[in-house]
Amino acid sequence: MPTSAIRLVRFTGRLLLALAAVTMLVVVFLALIALTDGAGSGFAAWLSTLGVGAVLAMWLGRRRTWPARLVPFLPVIVAAALTASVCIPTVPTARRYPPALPFVTTQHWSLSTGSRVAVYHYPPANPGPRHPIPFVYLNGGPVRGISVLDHRFLQLLARQGYDVYAYEQAGGGRSDLLPMSQYTISRSVRDLAAFVDRLNKGKIDILGFSSGGSVLTRALADPGVAARLHRAIIAEPGPMDGPTAHIAGHKGRKSARGLAPAMPGPRSTHVPRYAVAFGLMRLGLLTPDTGLIGQAEGDNAFTAADLDSDTASAYCARDAHRIPAEDTARNFSFSPAASLRIQQTVKDSPSIASKLRRSRTPAMLMIAECSSQIRHWETTVLANDPAIQRTQYMPGVGHHMWNGLDDNNDRAVAVITAFLQDKPAPQPNYPTRDEIPAFLRDQK
């Protein structure tokens, strides 16, 4: 073999060994991040990895001449440079709240629970009959700001004569953050009761969407909170308790997930620090209260593009190439850590079925054809709440039923207002409780 070829083989072998050493040190670093829960912004894991690498490099170079002893340190230096990027924030670590919206005044209410929430009010905007009972909207997320698309929908309800209120749940949007340990599904229910008390207008009509539907379902199972509610609309709810959260099953008709073009804009997951933090949190290897990134920093870093596939899953496959912009970059707000924390408290909660069976608040369930929710999450509510008077299965829409496409907003408004005014339903009452088995079979 020619000398040049031998040198090339040796060089390639050394390069592969160096890459293997770098990879090993990165793996050690990630393992230590998980073991230390990201202590000290990750620097505890970084210094430990650097120490392990330095000891290993000294051991490997112990029999070499002086200049050659430095060679084993090269992979350590490379690994240290790569992993250091996980320890250094690239966004402010103090919370940056979205600026004020130009079309509605943001109020801040301090609730008796200790939460300070951003509140939006849309008074009746038509000259015709006005509905005396205030209407409250609980948005999804959990711990997400109310999107501009949802604000437009609320304005549409106000134009129907409703006195519309909405608030961003603690930690979401312009609402103040809570200590991570205080983000629980029970706190969300208590905040709802405290909000109604602070509103001080008697009983309310309420629409809870997605995770807001989960909060509303649990409120209906709590007699003290349910006593504050006049009529309740549960739209596309998430799981209501631990047993429901652990049910696996079919979803609705095919959504746009995997079909829609990638959402434009920056992604926090393209930055090593946030890719590691959010990825390990999602896998359960970091706690939501991790020392790697603070809650405020994580909120500042997370972007709408990070929810790309989740947004697509909220629309029917047929709408994959015309998904509307749900929000603006300046208004978008989502707390990934707090959201995971609340979801975990739902999974850890005992069954509320027996309490929900005692509900007497008139209620309606809304289900989307292309729902991205597990169908059992929806039908479990229907099966256990005897006060659900009608179910409205909405054809041609995904999880985000009021989305500005075609006549979807008008159809949603028609369904909601008909129930609130106790008028005949625009859609068939489907599925009924007796039809639940057939409905679930039809989703396969």
Side-chain angles (χ1 to χ4, degrees), residues 45-372:
W46 185 79
L47 289 171
S48 299
T49 304
L50 193 60
V52 169
V55 169
L56 183 61
M58 287 189 288
W59 184 81
L60 291 174
R62 68 191 187 284
R63 295 180 180 176
R64 301 184 183 187
T65 58
W66 172 242
R69 289 182 182 180
L70 298 177
V71 174
F73 283 89
L74 290 176
V76 179
I77 294 170
V78 172
L82 289 174
T83 53
S85 63
V86 176
C87 305
I88 301 172
T90 60
V91 300
T93 56
R95 181 71 174 108
R96 293 184 306 182
Y97 292 95
L101 290 164
F103 49 80
V104 65
T105 299
T106 304
Q107 305 174 51
H108 285 92
W109 290 6
S110 295
L111 305 181
S112 59
T113 56
S115 298
R116 186 170 181 268
V117 297
V119 180
Y120 309 94
H121 180 209
Y122 292 103
N126 72 335
R130 298 189 175 191
H131 303 280
I133 298 173
F135 179 94
V136 173
Y137 176 61
L138 272 181
N139 68 304
V143 199
R144 180 173 179 172
I146 299 174
S147 70
V148 170
L149 199 61
D150 279 3
H151 276 289
R152 291 176 186 149
F153 182 67
L154 298 178
Q155 291 171 331
L156 188 57
L157 285 167
R159 288 197 289 272
Q160 298 293 316
Y162 289 91
D163 192 20
V164 179
Y165 291 83
Y167 70 95
E168 288 168 322
Q169 297 172 52
R174 296 164 185 81
S175 294
D176 287 4
L177 306 183
L178 294 175
M180 190 58 66
S181 62
Q182 294 185 26
Y183 288 107
T184 66
I185 190 65
S186 298
R187 174 61 172 266
S188 300
V189 175
R190 292 197 303 273
D191 278 353
L192 169 59
F195 176 84
V196 180
D197 291 344
R198 174 67 174 76
L199 182 60
N200 195 28
K201 291 193 174 184
K203 288 189 176 185
I204 64 164
D205 290 330
I206 183 168
L207 166 62
F209 167 64
S210 193
S211 62
S214 301
V215 174
L216 178 53
T217 301
R218 295 180 71 94
L220 292 170
D222 184 328
V225 184
R228 297 166 167 89
L229 311 180
H230 177 252
R231 282 180 174 256
I233 301 164
I234 306 165
E236 283 285 289
M240 68 182 192
D241 54 23
T244 310
H246 289 93
I247 294 176
H250 295 280
K251 301 181 181 181
R253 306 297 182 203
K254 187 172 179 59
S255 76
R257 190 182 189 116
L259 302 174
M263 186 180 292
R267 296 171 184 259
S268 68
T269 48
H270 289 172
V271 179
R273 177 172 175 82
Y274 307 114
V276 169
F278 297 145
L280 293 181
M281 268 194 270
R282 192 71 183 250
L283 293 172
L285 298 176
L286 286 180
T287 67
D289 204 15
T290 175
L292 182 57
I293 61 170
Q295 179 189 171
E297 182 189 349
D299 294 3
N300 293 339
F302 207 85
T303 69
D306 289 318
L307 288 176
D308 180 70
S309 59
D310 287 337
T311 299
S313 71
Y315 292 82
C316 291
R318 66 178 74 93
D319 296 325
H321 294 279
R322 59 169 193 155
I323 293 176
E326 292 196 341
D327 214 346
T328 65
R330 285 167 60 85
N331 185 62
F332 176 81
S333 170
F334 181 71
S335 179
S339 179
L340 287 172
R341 162 77 183 166
I342 289 181
Q343 290 177 57
Q344 189 59 52
T345 66
V346 174
K347 293 176 183 177
D348 294 341
S349 68
S351 172
I352 64 167
S354 60
K355 296 178 180 178
L356 187 60
R357 292 187 194 111
R358 295 194 289 270
S359 174
R360 295 296 178 266
T361 305
M364 177 177 73
L365 178 66
M366 295 178 70
I367 300 177
E369 178 186 6
C370 309
S371 176
S372 55

